[in-house]
Amino acid sequence: MSSRLTVLRSAVAGIGTTLDEKTTCAELTKAAAEHTGGTAAIVRYGAEEGEAEYEAVSGDRTLLPDLRWAVDVARRADSRVGHERRGPALCVPLATGEDRYGVLVCVRDYGPFTPSEADVLALLAERAASTIRHAREHDRMSRIVGDLQRALLAEPGRPHPNLDVAIRYLPVGQRALVGGDWCETVRLHFGRTLLVVGDVMGHGLEAAVDMTAYRSALRCIASSDLPPHRVLRQLDDLASSESDRRPATCLIARVDPVRSQVTLASAGHLPPAVIGGKGDTSLLPVPVGPPLGTGLGGYEPATYQLAADETLLLFTDGLVEHRGEDIDQSLDRLARLRFTVSQGVETIIDTVLASLDARHAEDDVAVLASRLRHRPHVEEEAVAFGR
């Protein structure tokens, strides 16, 4: 008796090893064929006679009963149906509760099926049906989440034409489309552009919702043309007033092509990198204030000259961090990268992602690269306005 239970447990455990419906059906028919010493197949519930077919056949297909008979059984609610015309056959509903997916058809060329065998087949079919129900529910929820994520995805604004910008976003996980990392560009007066990267604590849809809130607030605040550290202060005040808002790190860079300057401010974020005209990489020190949402404020600006052949690289920590590694080591790996002089911002980002194996990162990755583009008429307009 114990050996039979062991075999039965093994058969049940072998069904539903994945959330793939075809795999589950194949596992069911394999277990049924092995248990009865015959052939097993699936006929889907609701299939029309011209469209129906035997699926996931395990065993000798020629032993299967006439398909029209199996389709007729699949349409009915009979719990078990025997068929003797071409040999002993048994149809067991592939169902759990009120959910019906079809029938398990078993047949062999010797002796009728015993009540004990029918009970076991019913148990196996119920196990498979339960897995199919979970698989379909999982797919349904994945589609809903995907739709929500697509609704949350928003393209960054367009920078001024005097700035070349490239952006990449790689969410962690196979099913994720968007998470808590984000990039943004905002046009300001006099040809200036605000570049932003942010990273909301956590992952998945919840972090994405808060990311969208931060992003929307930034666009609104940036329209007043405040310096980066004051933009962070207002974002922090707004986020800290909402108790359920997740904290976030953020780095803002205001690029002024006329003055060839970049002014930076950080809310708990990693510093940006600059790729020089000779292809070398260095990090720009920026005073680091508290993350957004703490209500502590205390953000300070830092201004640097930015040559026309230099590329500014903003990124989230997923690009460089490795579990168990000191952050200085992670940043040093980025600083050791070298580039060819002719590479544009798009190629630079691709090189960075490939060199740091960002597609296998342990966290979401957002990267923004920008480089000044010489436009003489912009300088003339700025001079006319007293800049």
Side-chain angles (χ1 to χ4, degrees), residues 20-297:
D20 180 76
E21 193 167 327
K22 289 185 177 180
T23 299
T24 298
C25 289
E27 291 170 343
L28 170 61
T29 56
K30 180 176 182 292
E34 289 178 351
H35 182 74
T36 61
T39 297
I42 301 292
V43 176
R44 296 287 182 173
Y45 172 73
E48 297 298 329
E49 186 173 319
E51 301 174 351
E53 60 179 342
Y54 281 119
E55 301 177 29
V57 177
S58 183
D60 184 357
R61 178 182 287 270
T62 62
L63 293 178
L64 290 170
D66 184 88
L67 184 60
R68 289 173 295 181
W69 172 81
V71 170
D72 182 61
V73 172
R75 292 173 180 167
R76 305 201 308 264
D78 305 60
S79 58
R80 296 170 188 171
V81 178
H83 178 65
E84 299 291 341
R85 187 171 57 183
R86 295 179 60 184
L90 186 67
C91 287
V92 177
L94 185 57
T96 178
E98 299 297 321
D99 300 312
R100 296 186 64 216
Y101 305 106
V103 293
L104 168 66
V105 180
C106 296
V107 62
R108 62 188 176 196
D109 55 5
Y110 67 92
F113 294 98
T114 66
S116 176
E117 287 176 320
D119 288 339
V120 170
L121 292 174
L123 177 63
L124 297 178
E126 185 176 2
R127 164 77 174 187
S130 178
T131 300
I132 291 173
R133 181 184 65 189
H134 291 153
R136 292 188 179 183
E137 181 64 17
H138 183 267
D139 287 343
R140 187 181 72 85
M141 292 303 298
S142 294
R143 286 193 297 271
I144 292 173
V145 170
D147 290 341
L148 287 173
Q149 289 182 327
R150 276 183 283 274
L152 291 174
L153 279 171
E155 289 296 321
R158 291 191 300 172
H160 277 286
N162 51 26
L163 203 64
D164 285 326
V165 173
I167 291 173
R168 295 288 188 278
Y169 175 63
L170 302 176
V172 70
Q174 296 182 345
R175 291 184 176 271
L177 297 174
V178 63
D181 290 23
W182 54 287
C183 297
E184 187 59 86
T185 66
V186 182
R187 288 192 184 198
L188 303 176
H189 299 299
F190 309 112
R192 295 168 300 155
T193 296
L194 207 65
L195 308 176
V196 187
V197 292
D199 183 355
V200 178
M201 183 184 71
H203 301 283
L205 192 58
E206 295 83 0
V209 170
D210 280 339
M211 175 273 290
T212 303
Y214 277 112
R215 195 172 189 171
S216 298
L218 170 89
R219 288 174 173 174
C220 180
I221 295 169
S223 64
S224 59
D225 207 357
L226 295 171
H229 67 289
R230 292 186 60 189
V231 173
L232 289 179
R233 182 60 201 238
Q234 290 207 17
L235 279 173
D236 181 52
D237 288 342
L238 185 62
S240 62
S241 68
E242 301 178 12
S243 59
D244 58 347
R245 180 75 65 85
R246 294 168 180 241
T249 66
C250 186
L251 178 65
I252 298 181
R254 186 177 66 186
V255 180
D256 188 338
V258 175
R259 294 177 174 172
S260 298
Q261 287 182 342
V262 57
T263 299
L264 300 142
S266 172
H269 206 85
L270 294 178
V274 171
I275 300 165
K278 296 181 179 180
D280 57 306
T281 305
S282 59
L283 300 174
L284 290 182
V286 182
V288 181
L292 301 176
T294 62
L296 299 175

